[in-house]
Structure formats: structure tokens, C-alpha cells
Amino acid sequence: MILNTGQRTDIPAFYSEWFMNRVREGFVLVRNPYNQSAVTRYEIRPDLVDMIGFCTKNPNPMLPYVVELNERGFAQYWQVTITAYGRDIEPGVPDKREIVAAFQKLSALVGKDRIVWRYDPIFLDSKYTADFHLRVFERLARDLSGWTDFCVISFIDLYPKVRRNFPQARELLQDQKIALGKDLIAIVAANNMTIRTCGEGDFLAQYGAECGGCMTPAIYERALGQALSFPKFTPSRSECACYLSCDIGAYSSCRHFCRYCYANSDWRAVKKNAGRHDPRSPFLIGGPLPGDIVRQAEQKSWKAVPPKEVQRELF
């Protein structure tokens, strides 16, 4: 199975100590965000967890633990977001030069097949113009060249939480997406990378982008170097082909406070939840509550055949 950590919050950036405590104790309890009394218990063991998926804007706090995860037998797949935005849009994200350096260190530890650069979501305004994006993107692409093979992009979607927290944001027109997308594709190609799109359809495929998704079964298999037998799964969005299940995070707990975030309701909820976090708790936020119903997740390894037998098929 794939254990995901990053769709609801940024665990590597803010909860790395808690996460490693969960790994060492061998389990985690996850409260259903839509039914607070429903709790799922996941075992965190290498014979059950084929790969851990991380999504972060700051991998630095997790770097001391990456070798330990490797030694414990946990394969890792990392998506690290580095954008052009400043503190006006991403108030809690450290200086991008620090993140680039952390990306390079992380790539050296896990291998460039198991790390990708995310540059998303992309929006345009009077400050963050297309030219601004291209200048910063080209500099980042040069810095990350050789440390990964892929860059994932997507254009901003105005989900209800985004509209509430970032009311001035506007979606790009189709011709803007095509013009900017073509230039981004050319930049990464010059730096030995390929663009992957996230939930954008296939309109950039003709210009050289891979448009099949950013965390798909095929991508996991390529990173792992082994075929997996995936259970049936229905994506939460029709335009998304990614296999995202078993997320152990919690909404409204990411202290990056990005204006475009779809996972935080508002800053008050984040600060309240951050105050309820205990690194020793089996829950990311808070602890057991009266009336909790704990369900043991059905878990098993999805590995199908020995790695050497599928090497040619995957690469």
C-alpha cells in the first residue's frame, strides 16, 4: 500500500517529530475529517507500506530522518513545491534558496527518481506576471537540473476555501495557460526535465508535457522500480488521475498560511489546531475522544513480482 502524508497538511515541514514517533511505534490514528468519531488505524510497517508519499514546501525538518526511514525499509516518494511567490502569498514558507538546497540534499539521499519539483498553483496578477514567473522558473530549473527528472505544474483552481481566503485570485484563460505552459515546457527541456501536469487535461501534451497525472500507479511503480497490484480506486476529481488514498494528515493544520491553500479553512482554525498538537499522540491533532470508533484499516503489500522481472517494463 501507499501511505500518503501531504494532501491535508505539510507533515514534513511542521510535524516531522510526530511522524517519526508514529513510524517508531508502528501505527497512526487518523480522524475522519467529515465524521469526527470515525477513526482509522494504519500500521506503519515496511511489510505493509510499500512506499510513503510526501508533499511539502519545506523538507528541511525531515532531512535528519530520511536515512532512518531508508534503513527501516520504507521507500519514499517526494513532491517538493518551490514557486515564485513571496511572503505576501506564502507567509510561512522559508527563503526559496533554503528549499532549493534542501531539495538537492533530499535528492542525494533518496535518488532523483523518487523526488519531483512542483511549481503550482500558477496564477497571474499585476506583480506575478507571466514574465515574472518565467524569470524565476528558469532560475529554479537551472538550480534543480540534475536533481530530478520532472516538474509538476498546475494552474490555480478556485475551490470554495480558495475563494474565501484569496478573493482577488483569478483563474487563467485558456490562451494564457497555453502560452505560459509552452514556455515552461521549453525551459525544463533545456534543463533535462519534463513537465507533468496536475489535473489540467491534455491540452499541453502536444507541446511535450506528460498529462497523465502526477502521483499515478505508473509513477509510483517507476519510483519503486517494481510492479504493484493496485486495488480499484475512484479519484475525488474527474480530471485527476492520481492514486491518493490513506492520507494521515488533518485539514486546517498547515502553518505555511498560503493564500491559495485549499486545505485550510482559516488562520484561526490552524492556530487552534496547532495548539492541540502533541508529538507523542497517535493523532496528528488532539487525542482520543469519547465515542471514538476505531477501525483497523485493511492493509497489505501491493508488490506483485520481484523487481528484476519488471525492470524492462517500467523503464
Side-chain angles (χ1 to χ4, degrees):
M1 65 165 290
I2 308 295
L3 191 72
N4 282 299
T5 71
Q7 279 63 61
R8 299 173 183 171
T9 194
D10 193 329
I11 286 176
F14 300 112
Y15 305 108
S16 57
E17 180 186 359
W18 171 84
F19 178 76
M20 290 308 299
N21 285 340
R22 294 298 89 229
V23 170
R24 291 162 185 160
E25 291 193 40
F27 77 99
V28 63
L29 297 180
V30 182
R31 194 172 297 283
N32 187 314
Y34 309 108
N35 180 0
Q36 290 292 290
S37 64
V39 176
T40 302
R41 174 181 168 123
Y42 293 103
E43 306 299 320
I44 308 180
R45 302 184 346 225
D47 60 318
L48 297 176
V49 176
D50 300 309
M51 181 169 282
I52 302 173
F54 294 102
C55 295
T56 185
K57 287 185 171 69
N58 180 16
N60 263 311
M62 273 293 294
L63 288 179
Y65 305 120
V66 171
V67 171
E68 180 179 343
L69 287 174
N70 287 336
E71 292 174 345
R72 287 178 176 269
F74 291 105
Q76 303 162 58
Y77 185 73
W78 287 80
Q79 296 203 69
V80 180
T81 299
I82 313 176
T83 70
Y85 307 121
R87 295 291 177 87
D88 55 329
I89 303 298
E90 299 174 345
V93 178
D95 186 284
K96 302 303 170 66
R97 289 169 294 186
E98 294 179 26
I99 310 306
V100 167
F103 188 106
Q104 294 168 344
K105 293 176 183 176
L106 184 57
S107 176
L109 291 171
V110 301
K112 71 174 186 173
D113 289 337
R114 294 184 177 181
I115 186 170
V116 299
W117 166 34
R118 289 191 72 99
Y119 188 88
D120 75 312
I122 299 169
F123 68 85
L124 302 176
D125 63 14
S126 59
K127 176 179 180 179
Y128 297 105
T129 63
D131 286 342
F132 185 98
H133 276 286
L134 292 173
R135 287 197 304 273
V136 177
F137 186 86
E138 186 167 22
R139 184 168 66 247
L140 291 171
R142 289 198 303 267
D143 290 341
L144 299 175
S145 179
W147 298 102
T148 183
D149 293 325
F150 295 97
C151 174
V152 174
I153 66 168
S154 71
F155 303 98
I156 194 167
D157 292 306
L158 299 183
Y159 299 112
K161 290 179 183 177
V162 179
R163 291 182 185 275
R164 182 171 63 249
N165 296 326
F166 195 13
Q168 60 268 57
R170 297 292 180 269
E171 292 183 339
L172 276 70
L173 300 174
Q174 188 68 5
D175 60 344
Q176 292 176 311
K177 293 180 180 180
I178 292 173
L180 187 53
K182 287 169 62 177
D183 287 339
L184 298 178
I185 290 167
I187 290 171
V188 298
N191 287 278
N192 303 306
M193 287 182 274
T194 300
I195 286 284
R196 281 179 177 151
T197 61
C198 176
E200 295 295 337
D202 61 0
F203 67 91
L204 289 177
Q206 61 183 308
Y207 307 110
E210 289 188 6
C211 299
C214 62
M215 295 184 81
T216 64
I219 289 171
Y220 286 130
E221 288 180 324
R222 185 180 188 276
L224 190 61
Q226 180 158 2
L228 298 175
S229 179
F230 288 83
K232 290 183 179 180
F233 175 77
T234 302
S236 58
R237 296 183 294 150
S238 59
E239 65 272 21
C240 180
C242 294
Y243 200 104
L244 301 173
S245 63
C246 307
D247 193 299
I248 65 172
Y251 289 120
S252 294
S253 61
C254 181
R255 300 197 302 276
H256 290 311
F257 296 111
C258 299
R259 298 289 305 281
Y260 52 74
C261 180
Y262 66 86
N264 284 345
S265 56
D266 59 57
W267 64 269
R268 297 176 188 85
V270 174
K271 289 187 175 182
K272 179 180 178 181
N273 284 333
R276 297 172 56 223
H277 171 69
D278 179 354
R280 299 163 297 180
S281 173
F283 293 87
L284 179 60
I285 303 299
L289 295 174
D292 279 350
I293 301 173
V294 180
R295 176 185 68 88
Q296 177 67 50
E298 295 183 8
Q299 296 176 253
K300 66 177 182 179
S301 173
W302 296 341
K303 292 178 181 177
V305 293
K308 291 182 180 178
E309 295 182 23
V310 297
Q311 191 75 12
R312 290 187 299 276
E313 298 174 24
L314 299 178
F315 299 96

